[in-house]
């Protein structure tokens, strides 16, 4: 088990991501003190009931006092307000990081507020589920998943390795990337899939020729897969769409262009074109399983759980 | 355990669906004899190694001789050839059914060839995985899933109830529907989801700004969900697209229209519209879980299997 890595960690935001981090810190003994902050009394109370930290305060400004590591885990659209609130209460030498799903926007929102005696290192753990809130978190969420840092120029190497060691203690593998490239990568591997899932579930919900109850009854033939992503937190995803607009619009344009090609192949009965696409996509799944990024069981192993 | 329901069952096609039916028939003792037929020697041999039936023949014409129930489980585009081959070898009073994912086309392909002393009852079990071939099947695949019949006019009620009882013995719930309506329902709950999944995986594979290895590494943030459907059998899905063209094109048009609306909301930063859609889609998943059509575990329970 890793030793204590930080004397005092402040967690700003204690939903799915924040509370999973809290559970790992506790289980692994990575900090002496863990101060938890959430803007609502309800969430904060729940965090305390779950014993996720060592103290609980509503004000983020108060939570960060004397902290050696501050992790901001709130919807990306709230990043600037949080940065503004905590800025002057940060102690010199503190590492401030975040977990937001978009990076260029978070940097634009937070960096200008960070005093120069603070190590601000933007981060994004690529792990999660469709659930939210402090009850949704669990220990081990980040195990085997990637965590991407998008460090600013002149980032202190010692602070960077310390944060890296922290995420590795949680079981993550760490990568570094330029924030604009991060946002493009995430647009295709995460944002577009969620948007498409929301869209198809919306389309199905609005049909007149097929009823909603039919959609639900017969959903096991494929549709249900999309409803998982489309059950994700609306605030989080609204913010992602608003804060990674350019990359998302670029990927949407590519997707629509390809879909038009596919639609045309269906209209004109071009079986060869369909077969060609449907064959090469198989390999992508095979590679993902080989890379340890998905379970190998058919149907995501649902039949195992069904028993 | 149900009693023997048929003296002799012939299974034409012994892939994922055919072999799952075979496993259930055997486990439940629903037939005295099970004749298995598949066009290739390899598949037939594998079926025999797995001891899925009581006899094994290449020619469908031979397999159906003296059968009381014939179940055709081949790609929908092969339905006419199979019907033509078996027609004159069917015994009077036999029930002939299929499991094809489209129904109007299968009826158009098969019904004209069926002698009038045969009960032809088209069917479609809404169960499956992304795998194919005789090794992919397993007992219990149809448990808790719907099986939709699209009976022709003047179908014999006794034959219909017998086939219904058979699927119920496999654990299915049975519905009846007009074939054209079936094809519309399936276009939205199954065909569109698969086409969209194939498309997004294709788009990701073709990008220049994001590499394939990045897509694979970071796929756990949403993308990997789509790769499951996009790993389904290319022949089966080419045939579905070619044989349910009108309904699929109708659903694709609706989907694209809705996506254009969403894209515009992203472009113009209309957070309210995004939030409204992202909120109402949550309820659909909740209803699906309540209806017993998906597991309740976050992330399809992958984290459970990961341990
Ligand atoms: N969910 C995922 O799969 C995932 C994966 C990777 C990264 N992320 C990123 O992680 C961050 C947190 O996501 P999550 O899933 O943990 O969310 P969550 O479960 O909904 O929790 C959100 C937390 O942020 C607080 N919060 C919400 N709105 C706020 C605001 N306007 N100002 C200040 N605090 C606010 C909430 O406080 P109250 O409850 O007290 O209101 C709660 O503590 C987001 O930036 C998201 O993009 C999410
Ligand atoms: N997969 C699903 O999730 C699912 C769900 C519900 C319904 N269905 C429907 O069930 C049917 C079978 O699907 P499956 O998943 O079981 O497929 P599969 O695992 O690929 O097996 C296909 C079977 O059909 C045979 N076959 C293939 N092409 C043929 C042809 N041109 N002529 C005669 N036989 C041929 C194969 O024989 P050889 O191996 O000997 O070539 C094999 O026995 C399809 O109509 C599909 O639409 C599938």
């Amino acid at each position: 088990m890793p030793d204590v890595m930080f004397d005092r960690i402040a967690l700003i935001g204690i939903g799915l991501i924040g509370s999973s981090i809290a559970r790992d810190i506790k289980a692994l003994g990575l900090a002496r003190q863990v101060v938890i902050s959430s803007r609502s009394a309800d969430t904060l109370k729940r965090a305390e009931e779950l014993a996720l930290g060592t103290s609980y305060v509503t004000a983020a400004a108060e939570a960060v006092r004397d902290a050696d590591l501050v992790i901001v885990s709130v919807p990306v659209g709230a990043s600037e307000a949080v940065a503004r609130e905590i800025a002057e209460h940060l102690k010199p030498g503190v590492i401030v990081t975040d977990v937001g799903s978009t990076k260029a926007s978070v940097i634009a929102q937070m960096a200008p507020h960070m005093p120069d005696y603070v190590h601000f290192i933007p981060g994004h753990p690529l792990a999660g589920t469709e659930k939210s809130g402090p009850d949704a978190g669990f220990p081990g969420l980040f195990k085997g998943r990637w965590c991407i840092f998008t460090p600013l120029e002149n980032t202190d190497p010692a602070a960077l390795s310390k944060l890296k060691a922290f995420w590795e203690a949680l079981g993550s593998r760490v990568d570094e990337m330029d924030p604009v490239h991060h946002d493009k990568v995430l647009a295709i591997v995460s944002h577009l899939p969620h948007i498409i899932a929301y869209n198809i579930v919306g389309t199905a919900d609005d049909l007149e020729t097929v009823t909603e109850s039919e959609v639900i009854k017969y959903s096991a033939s494929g549709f249900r897969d999309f409803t998982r992503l489309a059950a994700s937190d609306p605030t989080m995803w609204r913010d992602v769409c608003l804060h990674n607009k350019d990359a998302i619009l670029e990927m949407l344009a590519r997707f629509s262009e390809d879909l038009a090609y596919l639609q045309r192949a269906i209209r004109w009965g071009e079986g060869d074109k369909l077969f060609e696409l449907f064959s090469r996509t198989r390999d992508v799944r095979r590679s993902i399983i080989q890379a340890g990024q998905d379970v190998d069981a058919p149907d995501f192993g649902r039949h195992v759980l069904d028993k």
Side-chain angles (χ1 to χ4, degrees), chain A:
Chain A
M1 191 186 277
D3 293 329
V4 169
M5 298 179 86
F6 294 92
D7 211 54
R8 191 180 176 96
I9 297 180
L11 301 177
I12 314 299
I14 194 73
L16 168 69
I17 300 298
S19 79
S20 294
I21 297 173
R23 285 172 170 93
D24 281 340
I25 293 173
K26 191 174 171 177
L28 300 164
L30 300 180
R32 286 207 179 76
Q33 292 183 298
V34 179
V35 192
I36 288 174
S37 158
S38 198
R39 68 176 170 165
S40 77
D42 280 359
T43 300
L44 199 63
K45 182 163 160 264
R46 192 61 197 136
E48 187 162 6
E49 285 163 3
L50 294 165
L52 296 175
T54 55
S55 59
Y56 307 85
V57 297
T58 311
E62 197 181 324
V64 302
R65 207 165 289 150
D66 289 324
D68 309 291
L69 172 65
V70 173
I71 307 179
V72 179
S73 312
V74 302
V76 291
S79 307
E80 177 157 24
V82 169
R84 198 190 292 272
E85 188 187 345
I86 62 176
E88 65 186 57
H89 306 277
L90 295 165
K91 88 168 179 190
V94 61
I95 296 174
V96 176
T97 189
D98 79 306
V99 300
S101 304
T102 73
K103 295 270 63 82
S105 160
V106 167
I107 292 171
Q109 291 180 66
M110 294 187 71
H113 298 280
M114 291 296 117
D116 52 15
Y117 50 78
V118 160
H119 304 294
F120 172 52
I121 306 174
H124 179 204
L126 306 197
T129 75
E130 69 278 21
K131 307 282 177 180
S132 50
D135 285 285
F138 54 91
L141 172 63
F142 309 104
K143 212 179 258 177
R145 297 280 90 85
W146 290 94
C147 182
I148 302 177
F149 294 156
T150 58
L152 311 186
E153 267 177 53
N154 306 321
T155 295
D156 176 45
L160 194 61
S161 5
K162 203 159 178 203
L163 189 60
K164 188 164 181 260
F166 174 80
W167 279 103
E168 285 172 349
L170 268 48
S172 283
R173 296 186 265 179
V174 175
D175 257 348
E176 276 179 48
M177 220 178 259
D178 165 78
V180 172
H181 187 61
H182 166 279
D183 288 358
K184 264 197 212 297
V185 171
L186 269 289
I188 187 70
V189 298
S190 177
H191 308 169
L192 187 63
H194 279 82
I195 289 165
I196 294 304
Y198 279 121
N199 193 67
I200 198 171
V201 176
T203 300
D205 204 33
D206 286 345
L207 292 174
E208 306 82 26
T209 47
V210 178
T211 67
E212 202 191 320
S213 86
E214 286 175 317
V215 169
I216 288 159
K217 262 171 96 169
Y218 307 126
S219 60
S221 38
F223 182 76
R224 63 176 176 173
D225 276 26
F226 292 73
T227 63
R228 186 184 84 77
L229 294 183
S232 301
D233 188 64
T235 304
M236 166 181 166
W237 284 99
R238 178 203 58 202
D239 280 12
V240 168
C241 289
L242 297 178
H243 291 269
N244 195 21
K245 191 174 95 170
D246 294 343
I248 290 173
L249 289 176
E250 180 188 330
M251 298 306 166
L252 267 172
R254 293 290 292 250
F255 173 87
S256 296
E257 190 178 307
D258 291 345
L259 192 61
Y261 172 88
L262 195 49
Q263 186 166 341
R264 198 171 184 281
I266 293 172
R267 188 179 302 282
W268 294 101
E270 298 173 322
D272 292 354
K273 285 189 183 162
L274 299 174
F275 190 85
E276 187 275 322
L277 171 66
F278 298 173
S279 303
R280 85 187 152 89
T281 51
R282 260 193 167 173
D283 299 334
V284 178
R285 178 147 189 91
R286 215 169 290 138
S287 307
I288 286 174
I289 291 170
Q290 272 162 12
Q293 293 302 313
D294 207 347
V295 295
D296 192 14
D299 207 14
F300 302 126
R302 280 180 179 116
H303 289 281
V304 178
L305 285 182
D306 263 356
K307 303 282 118 111

